[in-house]
Amino acid sequence: MNGAQALLRTLADCGVSVCFANPGTSEMHFVAALDTVPELRGVLCLFEGVATGAADGYGRMAGRPAAALLHLGPGLANGLANLHNARRAGTPLLAVVGDHASYHKRYDAPLESDIDAIAGAVSGWVRRSARSADLGADAAEAIAAAMAPPGRVATLILPADVSWSGGAEPAAPAAVRSPAPVREEAIRAAGSVLRGGEPCVILLGGPGMRRPGLEAASRLAGESVRLLSETFPARHERGAGIPPVDRLAYLAELAAGQLAGTRHLVLAGARPPVSFFAYPGRPSSLVPEGCQVHVLAEAPDDVAGALAALADLVAPDAKPVPQQPERPDLPDGELSAQTAAAVIGALLPEAAIVCDEANTSGLWLGGATAGAPPHDWLTLTGGAIGQGLPLAAGAAIACPGRSVLALEADGSAMYTISALWTHAREQLDITTVIFSNRRYAILGMELDRVGAAGAGEAARRLLDLSGPRLDFTALATGMGVPASHASTAAELAAGLRQALAEPGPHLVEAIVPPPW
Ligand SMILES: Cc1ncc(C[n+]2csc(CCOP(=O)(O)OP(=O)(O)O)c2C)c(N)n1
């Protein structure tokens, strides 16, 4: 058995069933080995950022890693932004990065680069396999590292000669760490804070955004205790029947308003809140003056267990308060981000998976979908745009039978537009809605907020996408995805209905004015 065959066999035995790949010459033995391990499905992605974003979407929904196969340092670098988002999401993910044969490296061939350094920026675990005999064990360890709670990017660097040499053997799965158990002391401390009756916010995040955590947290909410969540959760279970929680706003001034008057902030899977960016004269930390921060549970901990233990301590008889079913009426007239949100809220299918990269066009989506049937909401955890279309591919492959909605701002969609080809190639049940406002709208606002004086026509031109006009229906059909166009609410509703009723991928380009 060569190294590549042992590697793939080990991955399959460890429960890895998908590899999102953009291979090159140094990965050809890995590619050939796919035919010896039929349990591992190779999915071709036409850009590495699609492969890594898809592996992120897969890991968030499956709770176990997919592999992303990348070609040396440049391939890894192309995939880095979405590995960054995966790192922020705490997604279990295995990046396999091919490298030159070990003896070839000293010749400094054109693709030679410092892969270890690039990988270090986004990985919680990095190993360069030295011998084909070690590769199986390295792979099993990589998977265990990727799955250690809450999840991380594990990068295995695979020299071509390690891949092609014989004498390799598959390894058995390695033990995976469980979430750290509930800490009694933290429960007692949070209990006395909650009993004290001073204004308190429980800030939820990470695994606390799944149904069990939300139900336990809901038992704790009351007159002096409010629930809020981190701004960009990796996976938020929401909708009718699940206790709702408002997300902390992206804009620091709005988030400061949400937290004003809070004397105690209890963190349950979330980090202390900070401003997304620094703004001249404004604070970086969003913890209000005089507010004490208490850590109930961190992301690697049993967050839901900690919340449940806290609820049993201070509110043993309290019941969770679920969101009532409620949908907006289908609106009429011209399309805007607001009416588009109402259309989506009216039609969102049960058990949908929403990949939200709608940016400024998404302001009304949360409200419009709050009472829709239960669904999962995946967000831009690391703020690196170009995530949504790849994320949708991975989520759809992780959850066949569920509708995936990619809600995409036009600027962000263009970063990884080739993901549409993978949607079509794999015939994934993904409906993409492009919010075409034809600009980088948020940056128009940020230009003013950071106080960048003197911005004129030259500056505005860098934020404008209006010419040449991006024709998303042509882009989609050119990659095999049927597409339609909507400039009224009724057209969006018709397009969405059809897309959701038919199997396979679809795209609707929604022409919306920018919100400012
Ligand atoms: C990888 C990466 N590159 C650049 C940026 C900076 N950036 C933030 S928002 C944005 C434009 C967003 O435009 P669009 O996706 O069309 O959304 P809109 O603001 O119009 O709603 C850019 C370029 C980023 N966040 N991530």
Side-chain angles (χ1 to χ4, degrees):
M1 204 179 244
N2 69 27
Q5 289 162 341
L7 168 60
L8 267 64
R9 170 50 45 213
T10 305
L11 295 183
D13 292 348
C14 292
V16 178
S17 55
V18 187
C19 176
F20 298 99
N22 189 268
T25 305
S26 37
E27 295 80 48
M28 285 298 120
H29 287 80
F30 185 114
V31 169
L34 281 169
D35 281 296
T36 65
V37 183
E39 304 97 300
L40 196 54
R41 170 179 175 185
V43 175
L44 179 58
C45 301
L46 303 186
F47 175 66
E48 292 86 346
V50 176
T52 53
D56 183 11
Y58 181 96
R60 290 194 206 184
M61 291 310 301
R64 59 194 160 83
L69 178 66
L70 308 168
H71 183 50
L72 298 106
L76 172 59
N78 277 346
L80 214 64
N82 276 333
L83 288 177
H84 161 82
N85 287 322
R87 178 177 76 88
R88 285 284 170 178
T91 302
L93 192 158
L94 174 69
V96 178
V97 185
D99 195 7
H100 288 310
S102 13
Y103 61 82
H104 192 64
K105 290 184 73 64
R106 68 191 169 92
Y107 294 100
D108 195 25
L111 274 159
E112 178 61 32
S113 68
D114 190 347
I115 297 176
D116 305 67
I118 302 170
V122 290
S123 311
W125 183 100
V126 183
R127 182 167 304 165
R128 171 180 287 278
S129 266
R131 302 181 317 148
S132 45
D134 299 338
L135 195 47
D138 288 344
E141 240 185 272
I143 297 302
M147 291 188 67
R152 60 186 46 65
V153 175
T155 300
L156 184 64
I157 303 169
L158 178 58
D161 52 342
V162 172
S163 194
W164 74 50
S165 298
E169 266 181 44
V176 176
R177 231 185 24 237
S178 304
V182 174
R183 282 172 293 135
E184 289 306 326
E185 215 177 293
I187 311 278
R188 271 200 303 277
S192 55
V193 165
L194 263 54
R195 284 202 184 103
E198 291 193 313
C200 174
V201 166
I202 300 179
L203 190 65
L204 299 164
M209 298 300 285
R210 307 287 296 279
R211 192 176 192 132
L214 295 167
E215 286 181 342
S218 168
R219 293 170 57 202
L220 292 161
E223 224 167 275
S224 62
V225 180
R226 288 186 301 132
L227 305 181
L228 281 173
S229 91
E230 61 190 359
T231 308
F232 288 124
R235 179 178 176 187
H236 179 191
E237 285 185 6
R238 64 196 294 274
I242 301 172
V245 56
D246 283 339
R247 281 158 54 183
L248 207 58
Y250 162 80
L251 295 178
E253 43 281 40
L254 298 186
Q258 288 171 294
L259 291 169
T262 304
R263 297 300 309 277
H264 299 278
L265 197 55
V266 175
L267 302 177
R271 301 162 205 246
V274 296
S275 173
F276 220 77
F277 293 103
Y279 297 92
R282 292 179 184 273
S284 291
S285 168
L286 293 176
V287 178
E289 283 272 313
C291 171
Q292 283 179 36
V293 177
H294 313 267
V295 180
L296 174 69
E298 294 179 295
D301 302 339
D302 176 5
V303 178
L307 286 162
L310 183 57
D312 290 344
L313 181 70
V314 300
D317 301 325
K319 298 268 176 288
V321 182
Q323 167 72 46
Q324 292 306 305
E326 177 187 22
R327 285 191 189 258
D329 294 330
L330 274 174
D332 278 333
E334 287 298 298
L335 206 50
S336 65
Q338 200 165 359
T339 55
V343 171
I344 291 163
L347 300 179
L348 192 73
E350 173 141 20
I353 302 165
V354 177
C355 300
D356 176 7
E357 197 174 32
N359 302 349
T360 61
S361 298
L363 289 176
W364 291 271
L365 283 170
T369 55
H375 56 272
D376 283 286
W377 202 275
L378 316 187
T379 76
L380 188 58
T381 45
I385 60 176
Q387 174 194 251
L389 296 177
L391 201 71
I397 289 178
C399 301
R402 294 180 65 175
S403 290
V404 177
L405 252 82
L407 305 180
E408 274 294 312
D410 50 358
S412 296
M414 287 306 293
Y415 282 63
T416 43
I417 193 74
S418 71
L420 291 175
W421 184 87
T422 300
H423 295 185
R425 151 77 84 104
E426 302 294 323
Q427 279 302 295
L428 303 174
D429 284 328
I430 299 172
T431 298
T432 297
V433 177
I434 301 283
F435 291 93
S436 243
N437 64 19
R438 297 184 181 144
R439 65 185 67 175
Y440 285 167
I442 195 162
L443 296 185
M445 181 193 65
E446 293 286 28
L447 196 59
D448 298 332
R449 287 178 77 226
V450 296
E457 203 34 47
R460 298 277 161 201
R461 210 173 134 66
L462 287 195
L463 313 181
D464 171 54
L465 307 181
S466 64
R469 184 176 74 78
L470 289 159
D471 182 344
F472 281 94
T473 56
L475 288 165
T477 51
M479 285 184 268
V481 174
S484 64
H485 193 269
S487 46
T488 64
E491 283 169 2
L492 178 60
L496 209 52
R497 273 206 173 103
Q498 186 182 355
L500 292 167
E502 289 175 5
H506 294 80
L507 180 142
V508 185
E509 180 177 9
I511 310 298
V512 292
W516 42 75

